[in-house]
Amino acid sequence: MPDTLKVDTRVTVETPEGVDFQFMIAGPGKRGMSFIVDIMLKLGIIAACLLILSMMSALSFQVSGVGGGIFLVTWFAMSWLYGSCFEAFWNGQTPGKKYQNLRVVRTNGTPIGWFEAFGRNLLIVADGMLVLGPLALNTVGLLSMASTRRMQRLGDLVFDTMVIDEAREFISRAAGITHGVERLRRSECNGQFHVPERTLAVVERLFEGDRLISDGRREEIARTLSLALRSRLDFVEPGPDPLNPNTYFVQTPLKHTTFLKRVLKTFSDSPNGRAAQTEDDGDDASLEIIDETLHSMNVSDSGPESPADAGPAESAEGATLVTGADWQQPASGDGSTS
Amino acid sequence: MNRERFIRQRRADWQQLETLLTGMKNRRLSRWSGSDVTRLSGLYRSVCYDLSLVQSREWGARLEQYLNDLVAQGHNCLYRSPPRSIDTALKFLSHGFPQLLRKRKNFFFVSLALFAVPFLIAMIIATNDPVVAEQIIDKTQMEQAGESYSKDLYKDIDANYAEERTFMTGFYVWNNVGIAFRCFALGAFFGAGTVVTLLFNGIMLGAVCGYIINQGFSDNFFSFAISHGSFELTAIVISGAAGLLLGWGMIHPGELSRRESLRVHGIDAIKLASGAGAMLVIAALIEGYFSPMALPHSVKYVVGTMMWGLVFVYLVQGGRNASGTETTADGHRHEVSTAHSAEDSE
């Protein structure tokens, strides 16, 4: 795996426990955004300092020289110490980075120390050099980021740090799958608006890139699950768009695939990720092979309650949704429950 | 074990780790209880194992992603840089910094040459021929400088003095420390920026100096400059040395890879630069409050000479009297920690 060409922005780090895990590297966009936020904050603090001091000197004449001194020291601190102090004390984050969910870490994944924080912030001077004229701000840093795998600017290279994106992206893989589809809207479904984790896992595995299934076959497989889910959610398929009816017929051949993508997108996005999902039901059905799974699966309803009360009550409640009747349903699949 | 059973068995632990992590991340290190840490490390290791299991069996990207995230958070919670306090900062200034400077003394001397030689040349030229000096520096600026040293600066210490001098102290911090940091940072261009900064500052200061001598204000000027000059000029040269060290790490990695070399030299360089910054803050305080005081010139010369002696002793002897073994041990530890920062962070 380390030898394959990677086109995404992940960096694998090996822990002392011998496990590899991945960090997402932050690109120039997010870093630029946090840079701007930090600059605004610095300017704000300097302006506030100036305001307070001028108010004080208006009250009493004496402090103007002292006030000037304090102002210059504040300016100095903002321009040289702001980033380093925050990164040293806030475990690699400045307010701007916190806002963008970024963090500075060493390239081995460990948090940075004082000297690294200080050094990489001093080297902003070198990274911010103008090479091609006044418009080319931060040219050196951008060139350096473009040419290193971890998107490091000079300051990062020298002090062996990188900026990682800490945004909770449990769905980052699902986002690849569900790109370009909308979430299900609450108004489209008349039934309960909930899909168990196990079902989502099956849907996810159906779309996993390494399973080489043709679109047609996937649609065939998806149909089974899709119909069951449709009746469970009581999903009402919207009719052709009167303004642009052609798209309806273009999409119809992959209708069930699209629907499953939408389901995945809707229900896998919960902010707490997988942990917020419900526990599995007691069924020990093997899910090793997706076709088997889909044909034998019970899309059962287990509430988000504790495992204790998930036993007998659930099996009574859980209905087997994949029935012959479902197969006969009209393609539009409007609200009949099984 | 099949996937479903695995998830069902392990999920409780994952959730436990998750709640533990969110609780501990928002708490200070000193507030962590022993049992929490034990629980955390145990859970973390088991989740590490889970992750490698899921990775090897390819049990779904979302599960892997979730566990990956848990491990990443736990890793960041458990592996930290060693805690630092005011105490370590003071220890660094009193011991580590002079030790490091002595270890890298070649860079100091090169930096000194780059600063002092143009300084002396410019000073000699400007002393003999102020017209040349005027070509180097703007004439009005030059005259202002001359004028400010033509008379005694202050007669008494009064409110006006305190006020003006506080402003100037702020200015010195802002200006001089800024110059030193810039001088260091520009070393990232293979040392070229540092060389230019050193030469430029040497020539400018030398020219001003020579002009003032030529105008006959040398006594006023040198009695003013000698006290803080000790810290200030030395610190500028040290920050130059830091920049050169950084550039050297890029140009000449030696037996290390260029990446490794950058890291080793970079850490040393930033340490030198922060020491220089601290020295410049001291210099700014002296320059702000002591140098312009209305004292006889002889007193200022005596104090100024003592300051130079102090700087010299500090840099030559600092950290040396704490027993030779400790010095080498510390130096060795430093080598190791820069080479394997993973160990350093444990």
Side-chain angles (χ1 to χ4, degrees):
Chain A
M1 197 164 105
D3 295 318
T4 55
L5 180 66
K6 291 225 179 112
V7 288
D8 62 7
T9 58
R10 283 161 209 230
V11 163
T12 304
V13 168
E14 193 186 336
T15 72
E17 288 78 19
V19 174
D20 290 341
F21 67 94
Q22 294 179 325
F23 279 128
M24 193 93 83
I25 298 288
K30 273 199 155 187
R31 288 177 68 172
M33 205 41 215
S34 83
F35 187 68
I36 289 169
V37 170
D38 279 335
I39 282 184
M40 297 303 238
L41 202 61
K42 286 186 224 180
L43 287 179
I45 291 173
I46 290 175
C49 176
L50 198 61
L51 196 71
I52 292 170
L53 289 171
S54 61
M55 268 156 56
M56 275 167 67
S57 68
L59 292 175
S60 68
F61 217 59
Q62 294 282 311
V63 291
S64 61
V66 179
I70 293 173
F71 171 68
L72 284 172
V73 171
T74 312
W75 186 358
F76 165 78
M78 284 304 126
S79 48
W80 292 105
L81 304 179
Y82 172 91
S84 23
C85 284
F86 271 118
E87 282 173 18
F89 290 107
W90 270 14
N91 203 0
Q93 287 188 311
T94 61
K97 289 199 173 70
K98 198 159 208 168
Y99 170 70
Q100 288 287 317
N101 266 320
L102 307 181
R103 188 186 293 280
V104 185
V105 293
R106 292 184 185 147
T107 49
N108 62 8
T110 54
I112 57 169
W114 282 16
F115 282 118
E116 282 115 336
F118 189 39
R120 69 182 295 282
N121 278 290
L122 286 197
L123 284 196
I124 286 181
V125 175
D127 281 310
M129 286 290 273
L130 313 178
V131 173
L132 304 169
L135 284 176
L137 269 166
N138 293 326
T139 316
V140 175
L142 286 175
L143 285 178
S144 164
M145 282 171 77
S147 53
T148 49
R149 192 167 61 84
R150 296 192 177 89
M151 296 201 208
Q152 293 163 299
R153 60 179 176 82
L154 274 182
D156 289 323
L157 276 177
V158 172
F159 296 99
D160 200 35
T161 55
M162 60 184 178
V163 181
I164 54 165
D165 193 341
E166 283 208 314
R168 298 276 83 87
E169 296 221 35
F170 296 106
I171 41 98
S172 62
R173 199 49 193 277
I177 298 167
T178 61
H179 184 74
V181 298
E182 294 179 335
R183 286 156 176 275
L184 288 176
R185 281 189 298 277
R186 198 77 174 84
S187 54
E188 284 175 314
C189 306
N190 302 322
Q192 47 191 185
F193 201 63
H194 175 255
V195 174
E197 169 60 22
R198 233 184 91 180
T199 315
L200 290 178
V202 173
V203 174
E204 186 195 31
R205 294 171 83 204
L206 179 63
F207 289 113
E208 258 172 34
D210 50 352
R211 298 191 184 277
L212 298 171
I213 314 175
S214 70
D215 282 355
R217 176 69 181 135
R218 184 179 284 133
E219 175 70 9
E220 237 171 49
I221 301 169
R223 185 169 183 275
T224 323
L225 192 56
S226 167
L227 291 175
L229 275 173
R230 273 161 198 260
S231 64
R232 176 194 160 88
L233 294 170
D234 207 352
F235 175 73
V236 183
E237 179 98 48
D241 183 356
L243 294 176
N244 198 0
N246 285 342
T247 53
Y248 178 77
F249 297 107
V250 170
Q251 281 162 2
T252 301
L254 290 177
K255 186 175 67 162
H256 297 294
T257 319
T258 315
F259 175 74
L260 288 187
K261 282 182 181 179
R262 293 184 67 184
V263 167
L264 191 60
K265 183 161 187 166
T266 313
F267 296 102
S268 64
D269 282 8
S270 75
N272 302 336
R274 198 186 185 96
Q277 308 289 349
T278 62
E279 75 289 342
D280 298 293
D281 58 305
D283 190 340
D284 230 353
S286 162
L287 296 180
E288 296 296 317
I289 304 162
I290 191 146
D291 299 47
E292 275 180 34
T293 305
L294 290 166
H295 288 297
S296 66
M297 215 196 68
N298 285 348
V299 185
S300 63
D301 175 26
S302 55
E305 281 80 34
S306 61
D309 54 12
E314 176 204 274
S315 52
E317 199 182 341
T320 305
L321 295 179
V322 184
T323 62
D326 285 328
W327 290 77
Q328 311 304 324
Q329 268 187 341
S332 62
D334 56 1
S336 63
T337 48
S338 62
Chain B
M1 192 189 300
N2 89 21
R3 183 177 185 272
E4 296 313 305
R5 201 180 298 141
F6 169 73
I7 293 177
R8 207 169 330 114
Q9 275 177 8
R10 301 293 304 140
R11 177 168 284 169
D13 271 5
W14 301 340
Q15 275 163 348
Q16 219 183 348
L17 181 61
E18 205 168 6
T19 45
L20 197 62
L21 277 174
T22 42
M24 285 177 103
K25 268 202 297 194
N26 299 329
R27 247 181 302 161
R28 286 233 227 103
L29 204 58
S30 53
R31 293 279 189 81
W32 289 14
S33 70
S35 62
D36 274 358
V37 176
T38 319
R39 229 153 53 93
L40 179 67
S41 68
L43 283 171
Y44 168 70
R45 275 196 301 269
S46 66
V47 174
C48 276
Y49 174 74
D50 292 343
L51 176 60
S52 62
L53 190 78
V54 169
Q55 277 171 348
S56 65
R57 302 210 178 167
E58 299 190 356
W59 271 346
R62 239 154 56 81
L63 181 61
E64 192 178 326
Q65 182 75 39
Y66 170 68
L67 290 178
N68 181 77
D69 214 77
L70 262 187
V71 168
Q73 282 184 57
H75 182 264
N76 282 355
C77 212
L78 280 172
Y79 295 92
R80 291 169 175 259
S81 42
R84 300 188 193 271
S85 60
I86 292 292
D87 197 44
T88 38
L90 290 179
K91 187 112 200 301
F92 167 72
L93 284 181
S94 67
H95 291 73
F97 174 58
Q99 273 171 11
L100 183 61
L101 189 64
R102 285 199 297 275
K103 186 177 137 204
R104 301 288 190 183
K105 56 179 179 292
N106 294 346
F107 292 92
F108 178 80
F109 290 130
V110 172
S111 171
L112 181 65
L114 285 172
F115 181 73
V117 171
F119 178 89
L120 289 176
I121 291 172
M123 187 172 83
I124 291 165
I125 291 174
T127 312
N128 297 327
D129 189 358
V131 181
V132 178
E134 278 163 18
Q135 283 174 344
I136 301 174
I137 304 173
D138 187 38
K139 192 164 181 243
T140 50
Q141 216 180 334
M142 203 70 125
E143 278 167 356
Q144 264 179 8
E147 202 174 317
S148 62
Y149 293 109
S150 65
K151 53 189 187 316
D152 281 337
L153 289 165
Y154 292 95
K155 297 276 182 296
D156 294 306
I157 297 176
D158 52 10
N160 184 42
Y161 175 87
E163 196 178 303
E164 279 189 32
R165 296 323 297 172
T166 307
F167 177 76
M168 287 314 288
T169 308
F171 175 76
Y172 296 139
V173 169
W174 174 74
N175 187 50
N176 297 352
V177 185
I179 287 176
F181 285 167
R182 206 165 285 124
C183 182
F184 157 72
L186 295 181
F189 299 113
F190 300 96
T194 305
V195 173
V196 171
T197 313
L198 282 173
L199 291 177
F200 180 78
N201 276 300
I203 291 170
M204 292 287 274
L205 285 177
V208 173
C209 224
Y211 178 81
I212 290 165
I213 293 171
N214 180 272
Q215 301 290 304
F217 309 131
S218 57
D219 210 31
N220 272 340
F221 174 69
F222 284 115
S223 70
F224 172 75
I226 187 168
S227 312
H228 63 261
S230 56
F231 281 93
E232 191 171 275
L233 297 178
T234 317
I236 290 288
V237 171
I238 292 175
S239 74
L244 293 177
L245 187 58
L246 190 57
W248 187 247
M250 292 179 165
I251 296 169
H252 185 81
E255 290 179 359
L256 302 170
S257 73
R258 209 169 286 270
R259 229 176 93 89
E260 193 75 8
S261 150
L262 255 186
R263 212 168 68 178
V264 172
H265 288 86
I267 282 286
D268 277 4
I270 185 60
K271 285 181 173 169
L272 286 183
S274 23
M279 282 179 78
L280 278 170
V281 173
I282 297 173
L285 290 173
I286 298 172
E287 185 174 8
Y289 295 109
F290 175 76
S291 296
M293 257 203 253
L295 291 170
H297 288 171
S298 54
V299 174
K300 287 193 186 172
Y301 281 129
V302 170
V303 174
T305 315
M306 279 163 62
M307 291 284 181
W308 279 98
L310 185 69
V311 170
F312 184 78
V313 170
Y314 166 56
L315 294 180
V316 171
Q317 288 296 327
R320 194 170 286 211
N321 46 358
S323 91
T325 50
E326 199 203 83
T327 310
T328 51
D330 206 336
H332 178 67
R333 204 183 68 84
H334 169 79
E335 285 288 335
V336 169
S337 67
T338 45
H340 309 282
S341 54
E343 286 174 22
D344 173 73
S345 60
E346 280 186 48

